[in-house]
Amino acid sequence: MKKADLKSLDLAALWRGLTRPDPAGHDRVVPPTGFTAQLTVFSAGAMAFLAVFALALALATGRLAERWSSELAQTVTVRISAPADQMDQQTRAVMAALETTPGVAEARQLPDDEVEKLLEPWFGPDVPVEALPVPRLIEVTEASSGFDAEALRLRLQGEAPGAVLDDHTRWREPLVSAANRLRALGLISLALIAAASAAMITLATKAAMAANGQVIRVLRLIGARDITIATAFVRRFTRRAAMGAAGGTALGMLAVWALPAVDQAGAFLTGLGFQGWGWLWPLLVPVFAAAIGFAATRWAALKILREVR
């Protein structure tokens, strides 16, 4: 390849060749069908399908981390474990202390039916709450300004020795950390999918150009410039990557939409999927696939054209 062609073979020139029509039929130097065409379309579609799920995982775990962090941070529980003859007295003392604590928006004693629902996953339905040494539970909702948890603990120790303030830090931090790690895993998966797509498209481009080495030599002999040859390959393979990714994205979005809702799964799933405007994010997958195909094909074309003489 001549140095002048190396300078002219830049992104702007290739982008113009990619977006403009091809009335001269330069794309005919690239095989329209065959193994490389099928490989490019299939790999782009498969990677786009996986990318939709990785994106859904990253978004869902992000929502989960935010929900756990905000909900558990705003709710505090006071457990009262005391002898039966002191339970009512200490409960009244705790409620009085909470009502006069700055930063407490609401304090509510959980009735027996709600406590029964909390114990149901461990003891099954129809838990005899009254027959078990179950502590009294008071749900405390923080105001936006918050309150001094350490000062409240000291006050409760003096006025209700059987009361324990639990701000859920022991439970919240591992859950939020796990959700954040899952989100990072989803983002890493997206990066690996992009790298794998680039590798597959590069291999397909090299295979196609190597198989058409004799055609490239003939085109050079009749005056074709390397920029024309490279643009033909870039145009074809970028469009194949975009088409395959569009199909894979559509199938991926359909599969995510068909997943069971959280309530149907017994509140066990984290709500894997997209919500609201989040459904627009997968539409960027074909765009990025086309960009990856463009960059990978350009690099492969430059390399092969230097080798083919």
Side-chain angles (χ1 to χ4, degrees), residues 15-263:
W15 182 252
R16 288 193 300 269
L18 178 67
T19 55
R20 291 178 181 177
D22 183 36
H26 296 144
D27 287 0
R28 286 178 294 180
V29 301
V30 186
T33 58
F35 174 74
T36 56
Q38 298 171 1
L39 176 63
T40 304
V41 175
F42 175 77
S43 61
M47 293 302 175
F49 185 86
L50 296 176
V52 171
F53 276 91
L55 184 60
L57 174 65
L59 294 177
T61 51
R63 292 193 303 268
L64 186 64
E66 293 176 1
R67 185 171 70 250
W68 279 346
S69 180
S70 60
E71 290 182 358
L72 292 178
Q74 293 176 357
T75 304
V76 178
T77 303
V78 178
R79 302 191 310 273
I80 305 174
S81 300
D85 57 343
Q86 300 180 15
M87 184 67 75
D88 293 336
Q89 178 185 355
Q90 292 200 25
T91 301
R92 289 193 297 269
V94 170
M95 294 297 293
L98 293 174
E99 290 175 358
T100 57
T101 299
V104 174
E106 182 184 3
R108 183 179 68 93
Q109 179 181 341
L110 297 182
D112 290 344
D113 58 343
E114 292 190 25
V115 176
E116 183 177 335
K117 289 182 180 179
L118 293 176
L119 298 177
E120 185 175 332
W122 288 271
F123 296 97
D126 302 326
V127 181
V129 177
E130 64 281 353
L132 296 175
V134 179
R136 293 274 178 88
L137 298 179
I138 298 177
E139 184 182 67
V140 181
T141 303
E142 293 186 41
S144 58
S145 58
F147 64 87
D148 189 343
E150 191 60 33
L152 180 59
R153 283 192 180 94
L154 294 175
R155 183 178 178 183
L156 292 177
Q157 288 177 4
E159 301 181 10
V164 177
L165 178 67
D166 185 3
D167 59 0
H168 308 302
T169 301
R170 181 178 58 180
W171 305 99
R172 181 174 70 245
E173 291 180 352
L175 290 175
V176 174
S177 177
N180 286 329
R181 290 182 181 181
L182 282 174
R183 176 168 55 182
L185 180 62
L187 297 176
I188 293 173
S189 300
L190 285 173
L192 292 176
I193 289 171
S197 300
M200 293 297 294
I201 294 173
T202 300
L203 291 175
T205 304
K206 285 185 175 182
M209 296 189 73
N212 288 271
Q214 188 62 36
V215 176
I216 293 174
R217 295 186 185 94
V218 172
L219 289 173
R220 282 174 170 170
L221 289 175
I222 62 176
R225 300 174 59 198
D226 284 348
I227 182 62
T228 303
I229 301 172
T231 299
F233 279 90
V234 170
R235 187 199 304 269
R236 275 287 175 88
F237 278 89
T238 301
R239 289 179 176 175
R240 290 170 182 172
M243 290 174 56
T249 299
L251 292 177
M253 294 177 68
L254 183 62
V256 170
W257 176 79
L259 289 175
V262 178
D263 54 351

Side-chain angles (χ1 to χ4, degrees), residues 59 63 253 271 273-283:
L59 294 177
R63 292 193 303 268
M253 294 177 68
F274 305 101
Q275 295 181 0
W277 292 100
W279 283 99
L280 296 178
W281 283 108
L283 300 180

